[in-house]
Amino acid sequence: MNEMSASLPETALPHIVTVGRHRIGRVLERIAVGLSRQARVEHISASFDTAVDAVLALHARTPIDALVVAGASGAWIRERVDIPVAMIEVRGFDLLGALARARLLSPRVGLVTFDGPSDLLAQFDAQFGVGIAQFSYHGPEDAHSCVQSMLAAGVGAVVAPGLVADLAEEAGMASVLLYSDAAVLQALNEALALARHRQSERTRHQRLETILGQLQDGVVAVDCDQRIQALNPTMAALLGTPAKQLHGRALGAVAPQLDMAATLLHRESSEEVVQLAMRTQVVRRAPIVENGVLTGALLVCRDPLVIQNADRHLRANQRQRGSGVRWRIDDYGGDSPAVVRLRALARQCAGSDATVLIMGESGTGKELVAQGIHRASRRAAQPFLAVNCAALGESLLESELFGYEEGAFTGARRGGKTGLIEAAHTGTLFLDEIGDMPLALQSRLLRVLQEREVLRVGSTTPVPVDVRVIAATHADLGAQVDKGLFRRDLYYRLAVLRLATPALRERATSDVAQLAQALLQRRLKAANAHAPDAVQARNAAVAHTLLTTVLQRAVAYPWPGNVRELENWTERLLACQNYVCDAQGGVDAARLLEVFPECAEPVPLAAPDNAPAAALPLKDTRHRAEQQRVREVLASVGGDQRQACDILGISRATLWRRMKG
């Protein structure tokens, strides 16, 4: 190995190997010294098959960027290795110089080449009478016979490659090496250019392999013949073969379902779902076009679960940000005095960071008010996270609210989990149905509100948080405090600011109509999104007419499900409007009552001990009306509580509470 430059590490220089025995080998070693600062040059003193074996063995240990070879041995090597090769070429001026030197040594000159006699040189010799006899050889087995042929022809001086030149010297003939120093130097310079390009390509390929290796998706790149050029470990695992064994193989032959022929033919991207290695994969194919020339194609395999998880997390994150809040305070519609006061008070609450307690029956828009307060506050651009305290068990609610450390309990997620309180940092946390929160968690929540820090399950280090809490409940928290079901200190901590959402039956008839029209309009927009304008106009006219009729008949209805029940009515109306209305838009009264039995007559109010309904307190009257309505709906659906909840627009917990009385 030649001396390396001190300015660059050895591995940073291109690796060039010169191959040649005898005289050409000595010339190569001598001239290659001049490239020691530009390349790492090694010499192999061998020829033909021996040289091929030596080159492949060295290449397996240290990748070779370029070879420098000459003559028949060089041609032999070039056909058997997949490494860039620079051949030492014999040019006309060099050949004439060598022949002239040989002519001075003997009047009879023999020229030996490996690619056969030259007709042009024969014509030159015939015209000028130089006395040149041409000979050729193709390998070591006929080099000796070539020398014997020159002796028989009376040749006194030989111009030949290294092997034949040395054999001629041994046979008593003078010899001149066929290759000049200038030709050798030019071949070395060509090899240096090839090696630098090869090194650059190898570096680029290694960088590509590193990048592909970081991808979770299976990725493979092929050339125009579908031969695999690069792939990552994920793709190799899907194909069930080590990556090194796949390079150079046709992708379509390895996995027919991944065939790229159509992509290469039509130069168009495509996407489909295929079965690969007993797994469903979303496969995307795309052509690779460089400078307007098709150079191959790229295939990406993605697990559908990855796509689904990414979509779920994206939607969840979008919902968590302030921009995902749907409602404003003004969206709480209605002109009743109670509604007007509610909106005004909500705006006042938005200007403060104090905790808010929103009280009201199910379906009265408590979360809408909470979102509206958040959106009108200084935290509007920050997260708004909501959790229903009645929908989760105690342990699950604890982990959702406070989060947990890795290993905190069996099944805990690796790396732990951030709780909603932490996730809502700088934003708003909405605790719906706070009255149903277990007492053990109430004490932990109280500490968060007092100390403004949260302690994850399994952790000993509290995390400071800046979060505003808005709580909502349908229950009478004051009564629950008296019964010992809710912490008194937490109640007063939550009820700094208080709001009450009015029940629908307590609002003016005009409010009910206004809300119903708004809900219907929203439903119509979604239902008729793709219908022609004329069809949309007709459907809207019929729906609004039918809604007016329904509301007139339900003027005395107590709306136990509040706005949520009203929304269910509008959805039922749209689904059945063609059944209730004739072709001209007229309303069939019998069918209307069939679809809306609630409009048949006012709900009777049964008084205890046969007392008249008018004598009952308003609260008891309302409660008995709700119970009566629940019994009627349950009877109409054969006791199916889930269906009854859908009709009434209430939760299972509310249904159970009303049934219990």
Side-chain angles (χ1 to χ4, degrees), residues 37-57:
R37 291 184 175 275
Q38 303 177 67
R40 181 162 52 103
V41 183
E42 292 186 75
H43 181 73
I44 294 177
S45 182
S47 59
F48 297 98
D49 285 335
T50 304
V52 170
D53 294 339
V55 166
L56 294 177

Side-chain angles (χ1 to χ4, degrees), residues 69-109:
V69 297
S73 177
W76 185 272
I77 295 170
R78 182 170 60 182
E79 293 176 357
R80 287 163 176 78
V81 297
D82 187 21
I83 301 172
V85 173
M87 292 286 294
I88 303 175
E89 302 289 347
V90 181
R91 291 167 175 78
F93 184 79
D94 293 337
L95 179 59
L96 291 177
L99 290 172
R101 290 194 299 275
R103 189 70 175 78
L104 294 175
L105 300 174
S106 172
R108 183 65 172 165
V109 176

Side-chain angles (χ1 to χ4, degrees), residues 596-617:
F596 291 97
E598 301 90 342
C599 299
E601 58 185 13
V603 177
L605 302 176
D609 301 326
N610 297 319
L616 290 173

